[in-house]
Amino acid sequence: CRDEPIVQDLSNLCPATTVNLNLAHSGALPSGIVLQWYKDNLRSTPILTGTEVTHAVAGTYYAFYYDSLKDCYSLASNPVVVTINQCKKALIITNPILRNKAK
């Protein structure tokens, strides 16, 4: 089958609180190949759903190429570590007296 996918670690950009794992993959997918994501490098956990891939939370993930023509998987990618940074919330002043003092 194919060589393992080339990947990189990801972190969110505020205000997003998740990341799209597909952005960790570099390069184009060859014809007939799909990228599949798992939480372990042996594919012993369930394949991640589309939503889990596009809205990944903090953790470690592994990508695999799946060749549907040959019905085979590549080796696991290097681990993709997803870091979710806490976004600061905007300060909203609702008290009119405090709002005027803030100006």
Side-chain angles (χ1 to χ4, degrees):
C1 227
R2 302 257 175 198
D3 291 334
E4 66 273 4
I6 305 299
V7 293
Q8 62 186 358
D9 293 342
L10 293 174
S11 62
N12 64 315
L13 294 174
C14 291
T17 56
T18 61
V19 298
N20 182 340
L21 286 175
N22 290 321
L23 297 176
H25 178 256
S26 61
L29 291 175
S31 179
I33 303 296
V34 294
L35 192 62
Q36 295 184 345
W37 290 94
Y38 292 83
K39 290 185 178 180
D40 70 78
N41 63 350
L42 300 174
R43 295 187 343 243
S44 61
T45 58
I47 185 173
L48 296 181
T49 66
T51 300
E52 289 172 321
V53 170
T54 58
H55 294 86
V57 296
T60 302
Y61 302 89
Y62 298 85
F64 291 83
Y65 288 137
Y66 175 67
D67 186 328
S68 59
L69 299 174
K70 295 179 183 176
D71 191 29
C72 64
Y73 288 89
S74 69
L75 296 173
S77 69
N78 287 329
V80 173
V81 176
V82 171
T83 303
I84 301 299
N85 299 303
Q86 296 299 314
C87 301
K88 294 182 180 179
K89 296 185 181 201
L91 176 63
I92 300 172
I93 300 173
T94 56
N95 184 323
I97 295 170
L98 293 176
R99 187 180 318 136
N100 290 335
K101 289 183 178 180
K103 290 182 181 179

